[in-house]
Amino acid sequence: MSAALAAEQALNGLQLGLMLFLMAAGLTLVLGIMDTINLAHGSLYMTGAYLAAATYAAAGSFLVAVAAAVVGTALIGALLEMTVLRALYRRDHLSQVLATFAIILIANEAIRMTWGPQPLALPTPRALSGPVELLPGFLYPAWRLVLIAAGLGVAVLLFILVTYTRAGMRVRAGASNREMAEVMGVDVKRLFTVVFAIGAALCALAGALLGPLLAVQVGMGESILILAFVVVVIGGIGSIRGAFVGALLVGIVDTAGRALLVPALASIAIYVLMAAVLFWKPQGLFPARG
Amino acid sequence: MKVSLHTPAAGWWWAAVAAMLAAFPTIAANFGQEYYIGLATRMLVFGIAATSLNLLVGYGGMVSFGHAAFFGTGAYAVAALADRGVSAPWITWPLAMALAAMLALAIGAAALRTRGLYFIMITLAFAQMVFYLVVSVKTLGGDDGLSLAARGIGESALFYTALALAVLAACGLRRLANAGFGRALQGVRENEARMEAVGFPVLRIKLAAFTIAGAVAGLSGALLATLNGRAGPGLLDWPQSGQLLVMVILGGVGQRFGGFIGAAVLLAMEEVLSPYWVHWQLVLGIVLLAVVLRAPRGLAGMLARG
Amino acid sequence: MAEILRITGLVKRFGGVAATDGLDLDVRAGEVHAVIGPNGAGKSTLIHQVSGALVPDAGTVVFEERDVTGLSMHERVAAGIARSFQVTNVFARLAVLDNVALAVQARTRSCFSFWRPAIGDAAAFAEAMRILDRVGLVARADAAAGALSHGEQRRLEMALALATQARLLLLDEPMAGMDTAESAALLSLLRELRAHCTLLLVEHDMDAVFQLADRISVLVYGRVIATGTPDAIRANEEVRRAYLGDTLPA
C-alpha cells in the first residue's frame, strides 16, 4: 500500500472514530450515570440527520441546518428523558431494553410517515465539497477534514467541561456514585435531563455532519448505535476518556480492516477487537465505576 | 412479593388448547382457509424460540439481545444443507440444533463473564458479528439469503411436528425449571453473588442455560426455514432479537407459557394490522411501551392474577 | 491445636495502594479468631481473599494443608470455606425455607440434574428445616426473606453459612447495624456455631470481639501487627498506639 493511501486510510479511521466518539460520549454517560441502557440513542442520531436535511431543503444553509438539528434534537431528547426515560431509571434492564426498543419502532415509523421511505438528500456544502491538498500530491476531501476538526473540537470541549467545571464535577460524581451525589445536594433530576440533552445534541451533530457522506434514511441510527455500543464496551461504561480511546480504536481498526482484509473478516474485525479487550479487561479500558 | 421456585402444573385448559390445535388443520381445510395453517405453524415456531429466550431471561435473569444469532444460524444451517442436497428434516434439524448450540457455547463463554449492561451490549454485538459474517459469505446468498430447493416435509406434517415440538418445549421448560438445574438457575437470577457464596458454579450454570436456549432457538430457526422455504439475513439481524424479546415480555417474563402467548399475540397483531396500515409498527411500539411501563408482568401475568 | 488456615505473605494492590501488604496470619482449628483494626486497614480485603472473591497479587492461602490461593469461590465452598456478607445478602424474594434449601442443594451438587423435580428432595428440605431450627427461624420458614427484620436476616445469613457445612466460616462484620438485643442474640448464636466450625471474623463491635474471640489479630495498613489472646492484645503497646486513643474495653 502506498504512503498516500495509508495516510488516507489513517485519516478516514480518525474521522470515523471521532464521529463514533460523538455518539459514544452521550451514550456512555447515560449508561454510567443513570445505569440505563438506551437503544433509542441511534434514533436521536437519525432525528438529527433528518432535521438537518429538512432544514437544509427549506433554508438552503448548511450552518442553519446543523443548528436546527442540534437544538431540535436536544429538545426532543430532553422531552424523551422527562417522559419515558425517567420512568425507567429504577427499573430493571429488560424493561429499559424493551421500552427504548419501542421508541425505536415509534421513531422509525414516525419518520417514515413524515418523510416517506426514500432517503433524503443532504449535500455537502459547495465550498467544502472539494479536496484539500494537505501535502504535495496528497489530496483529502475537505468535508472529512471538517468532521475531524469538529470531532476534535467537541472532544476538547467535553474534556474541559467534565474536568474543570463544577457541572463536570457533578457529572463525574454522578457517574461514580449516584446516591452520594444526591446526598451532596446535586439536583439529580435536572442533571440527568441536561446530560441526556447534551448526548442527544452530540448525536444530532454527528448525524448532520455524516449526512452528506452516508444516506439519510430510516434505520440509519441502528447500525451506528451498535458500533457505539462496541466503543462503550471497549472504553468502559461511564468514561468519556474511554469513549474517546475506544472510538479511535474502533474507527482505525474498522477502516484498516476494510482496506486490508477480505470482506468477511473485515466486517468482524471490530468485534474481535472487542472480544480481545474484554478478555484482558472485562470492564473495559477505563471503567468509571469501581 | 414472594416468588416461588416451583412451576406448578398447568390446569386442564392447556390440554384443551393442544387438542384444539391438533384439530386445527382439518377444520381450516374444511373452510378452505389453508393459509392459516401456515400462520399457526409460524406462531408455534416463534413460540418455541421465544420460550427458549424466556428460559434465559425469565428464569435465568440474563437479558440477551443476541438471540437472533442462534435462531438465524439454525435457519441457515438447514438452507445450507439443502443447498448440498440434504433436506430430510430428521437429519438437518438436529444438525442445526448442534451448530446453534456450539455457537451459543462460544458466545456464552465470552459474554457470560460480564453482567448487566455490558452483557446486553455484548450479546447484541456478537449477534451482529454473526450477521455481518453470514451476509458477507457469497455461498450463503449474501443480502438475499438462501432458498431451500425442497421443503422435505408436507405442510400439514410440518404443523403437527411443530405442535409436537411446542408441547415438548412447554413440558421440557417445566421439567427443567423444577429440576435441580432450574432451581439453581432461578437462584442465579435472584442473587448471583449469594449463589456463588453458597458454592454454586454460577458461570457453568449460566453457560449451560445459554447453550440450551441457543440450541432450542436453533431448532426453531430450522423449523422456520423449512416452513418459509428460505433463510434470510433478517433472521440474524438485531430487530429479530428485539422481536423475540418483545414476545417474551408481551407473553410474560418467567411465566411458563409466556413465549407462546407472546408469539401468538405479536404475530396476530402483524397479521391483522399490517394489511390495513403500512405503519402498523407504530401501534406495536406504543403497545409495547405501554406494556413495559404499565403491565411489566405481561399478558400471562395479567391472566394469572385475574 | 492444629492450624486450619495459614496465610503467608499476602499482597493485594488496588492501583497504587497496597490494601494487603505482606500479611501473615494463622487460624487454629476450632477457635474463634477475630480480626480488628482501624478503618482502611484492609480487613474486608483480607476476607475477600480468603473467600475467593478477590485473587491476591502475591502470597498463599493454605486451608487444611491444601493451597487454595487459586481456587474460585465455589471451589473453596466445596473445600470447606464459606463466607457471610457485610451487608445482608439473602434471596429477598424467596421464602426463607427456599433460601436455605438452595444452600443445601449446592452441597448435594444437584445443579446439573435436569430432569427430576427438586421439590421431591425431601432430605434436602428436611435438613433445611433443621438448620432453620438451629438459628431459630422455623416460624418464619414461609415468609419472604426480604420481609424479615434485620436481626432475622442476619440469622438467615448464618443459616446459609451453616448449610454449606463449612469447617471455616468467614464472617464480615456480622454485628453491623444491630441493636443491643439483636447483638446479644447473634452473639449467643455465634457461641453455638463455634462448636461446629472455626470462625474467622472481622468486627468493629469491640465488646462482642473481646467476649467471643479466643485470639485476636490486629490489622494496620494491610499487615498484622499483633496476634494474641484478648488480654494480651489489650495490654499491647503497639496496638494501643495504632488505635490512637480509641478505647479498648478494660
Side-chain angles (χ1 to χ4, degrees), chain A residues 31 35 37 91 93-95 97-99 101-102 105-106 109 113 222 226 229 237 264 268 271 274 278 283, chain B residues 57 65 117-118 120-122 124-125 128-129 132-133 136 238 246 249 277 279 281-282 285 288-289 292 296:
Chain A
L31 285 166
D35 192 30
I37 188 160
R91 294 285 299 272
H93 291 317
L94 176 63
S95 300
V97 165
L98 285 162
F101 180 72
L105 294 176
I106 295 172
E109 287 308 319
M113 292 195 310
E222 281 66 75
I226 289 163
F229 278 149
I237 288 179
I268 66 168
Y271 301 103
M274 181 185 79
L278 282 176
Q283 301 234 294
Chain B
V57 175
F65 205 91
L117 297 174
Y118 282 103
I120 300 172
M121 297 193 290
I122 287 160
L124 173 58
Q128 279 315 102
M129 181 183 89
Y132 286 123
L133 195 61
S136 65
W238 68 270
V246 170
I249 199 169
W277 197 30
H279 300 293
Q281 298 229 329
L282 185 69
L288 178 60
L289 197 56
V292 172

Side-chain angles (χ1 to χ4, degrees), chain A:
Chain A
M1 181 190 277
S2 71
L5 200 57
E8 184 187 342
Q9 293 301 321
L11 284 173
N12 284 350
L14 181 65
Q15 176 243 300
L16 174 61
L18 288 168
M19 289 300 104
L20 281 178
F21 170 66
L22 291 182
M23 294 289 296
L27 188 62
T28 201
L29 285 179
V30 170
L31 285 166
I33 300 177
M34 288 89 116
D35 192 30
T36 300
I37 188 160
N38 176 24
L39 294 179
H41 201 69
S43 303
L44 293 167
Y45 162 84
M46 175 180 70
T47 304
Y50 266 87
L51 283 178
T55 312
Y56 183 79
S61 155
F62 201 91
L63 223 55
V64 172
V66 171
V70 168
V71 172
T73 309
L75 288 174
I76 292 174
L79 201 68
L80 192 64
E81 194 274 342
M82 291 190 288
T83 50
V84 179
L85 267 293
R86 204 171 276 182
L88 294 174
Y89 292 146
R90 299 194 190 275
R91 294 285 299 272
D92 56 292
H93 291 317
L94 176 63
S95 300
Q96 294 169 357
V97 165
L98 285 162
T100 52
F101 180 72
I103 294 173
I104 294 180
L105 294 176
I106 295 172
N108 281 345
E109 287 308 319
I111 298 258
R112 234 189 292 252
M113 292 195 310
T114 318
W115 282 292
Q118 297 298 348
L120 286 191
L122 183 61
T124 326
R126 224 164 319 130
L128 296 161
S129 56
V132 167
E133 191 167 23
L134 292 175
L135 292 171
F138 179 50
L139 296 171
Y140 194 68
W143 189 243
R144 286 184 185 257
L145 286 174
V146 169
L147 263 60
I148 291 176
L152 286 174
V154 168
V156 168
L157 219 71
L158 272 180
F159 178 67
I160 294 174
L161 198 72
V162 171
T163 319
Y164 295 112
T165 64
R166 280 182 64 186
M169 215 164 48
R170 295 196 192 111
V171 165
R172 275 182 300 150
S176 41
N177 194 324
R178 173 184 167 169
E179 281 88 15
M180 273 309 287
E182 275 176 325
V183 165
M184 298 298 228
V186 178
D187 184 346
V188 171
K189 272 205 176 115
R190 209 164 52 148
L191 181 70
F192 284 6
T193 309
V194 168
V195 167
F196 197 84
I198 291 177
L202 292 175
C203 283
L205 181 62
L209 290 177
L210 282 170
L213 289 179
L214 310 171
V216 176
Q217 62 188 14
V218 171
M220 67 191 287
E222 281 66 75
S223 33
I224 203 169
L225 177 72
I226 289 163
L227 288 180
F229 278 149
V230 173
V231 167
V232 171
V233 167
I234 290 176
I237 288 179
S239 164
I240 293 191
R241 187 182 6 158
F244 188 73
V245 173
L248 288 183
L249 269 175
V250 170
I252 290 169
V253 168
D254 190 64
T255 310
R258 287 182 200 289
L260 299 170
L261 302 170
V262 295
L265 290 177
S267 56
I268 66 168
I270 59 163
Y271 301 103
V272 174
L273 169 70
M274 181 185 79
V277 169
L278 282 176
F279 193 76
W280 173 46
K281 288 203 161 207
Q283 301 234 294
L285 295 173
F286 305 98
R289 291 181 293 181

